[in-house]
């Protein structure tokens, strides 16, 4: 809806100005992400059920609360810095052309592979889900060696499973293959 004094060109300039401002302050997206993570961590920590015998000065809630508060403080400090004109500078040695658009295909492939592995970890077990994760990540990042990538992914997944499950005592689901192996 335009007012009698507002022209369509003025609306375009305003929209371009907003886009320009958002592009110049894109670090605010990181602030929003840190804020959301901080709220999520604090919510989970404060709603955690703690047995009465586990209470004390340092309990299972302490570290998540400290991390959540830290995330909120960092988000606020970064937002203030960005709004005052602070800007993240690329490292001098980075080999990145910032004028090129983001590679969303790779990002979406990696996200899908990660979510797929997370969904498969319980029914298929960590060795299978981990192998698919490692192989899928290699594929998404450009490796097309179908003769060696699945083998390397399977070996990495089994080594990771053994290290965490057997050596560190972190129980991981073995899945149906553990009866065979």
């Amino acid at each position: 809806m335009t007012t009698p004094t507002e022209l369509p060109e003025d609306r375009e300039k305003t929209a371009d100005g907003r886009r320009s401002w958002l592009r110049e302050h894109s670090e605010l997206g990181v602030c929003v992400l840190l804020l959301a993570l901080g709220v999520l961590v604090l919510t989970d920590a404060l709603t955690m059920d703690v047995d009465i015998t586990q209470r004390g000065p340092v309990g299972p809630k302490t570290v998540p609360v400290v991390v959540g508060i830290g995330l909120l403080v960092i988000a606020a400090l970064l937002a203030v810095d960005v709004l005052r004109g602070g800007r993240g500078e690329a490292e001098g040695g980075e080999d990145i052309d910032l004028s090129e658009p983001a590679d969303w295909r790779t990002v979406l492939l990696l996200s899908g592979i990660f979510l797929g592995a997370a969904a498969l970890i319980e029914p298929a077990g960590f060795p299978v889900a981990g192998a698919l994760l490692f192989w899928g990540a290699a594929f998404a990042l450009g490796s097309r060696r179908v003769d060696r990538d699945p083998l390397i992914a399977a070996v990495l997944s089994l080594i990771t499973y053994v290290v965490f499950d057997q050596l560190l005592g972190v129980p991981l689901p073995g899945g149906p293959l553990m009866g065979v192996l």
Side-chain angles (χ1 to χ4, degrees):
M1 172 158 73
T2 61
T3 60
T5 59
E6 184 181 347
L7 299 172
E9 299 87 32
D10 293 337
R11 281 192 302 178
E12 288 177 19
K13 288 178 185 177
T14 304
D16 288 342
R18 277 191 222 125
R19 278 189 224 118
S20 174
W21 188 88
L22 287 173
R23 195 171 291 123
E24 290 171 6
H25 297 88
S26 60
E27 291 92 348
L28 290 175
V30 175
C31 299
V32 171
L33 178 67
L34 290 173
L35 178 74
L37 285 174
V39 168
L40 178 68
V41 169
L42 276 175
T43 303
D44 281 350
L46 296 175
T47 59
M48 184 185 306
D49 289 333
V50 178
D51 189 15
I52 194 77
T53 59
Q54 294 177 340
R55 290 191 182 164
V58 177
K61 289 184 176 184
T62 306
V63 172
V65 167
V66 169
V67 169
I69 291 171
L71 285 167
L72 294 177
V73 168
I74 290 171
L77 292 174
L78 181 59
V80 168
D81 181 54
V82 169
L83 293 173
R84 286 186 175 174
R87 194 144 167 90
E89 296 292 328
E91 291 183 27
E94 284 190 25
D95 225 7
I96 298 172
D97 184 7
L98 296 176
S99 64
E100 289 292 318
D103 184 8
W104 288 108
R105 179 184 178 272
T106 302
V107 171
L108 291 174
L109 270 173
L110 284 171
S111 299
I113 291 163
F114 180 76
L115 291 173
L120 284 175
I121 198 165
E122 196 61 43
F126 181 84
V128 172
L132 290 173
L133 175 68
F134 292 138
W135 185 27
F139 180 83
L141 294 173
S143 179
R144 299 296 185 257
R145 298 285 307 262
V146 292
D147 57 333
R148 82 169 175 197
D149 288 348
L151 180 63
I152 292 172
V155 169
L156 273 174
S157 183
L158 282 173
I159 289 172
T160 304
Y161 175 78
V162 168
V163 166
F164 277 88
D165 194 64
Q166 305 299 320
L167 299 177
L168 296 176
V170 177
L172 295 174
L177 287 181
M178 288 300 102
V180 176
L181 299 175

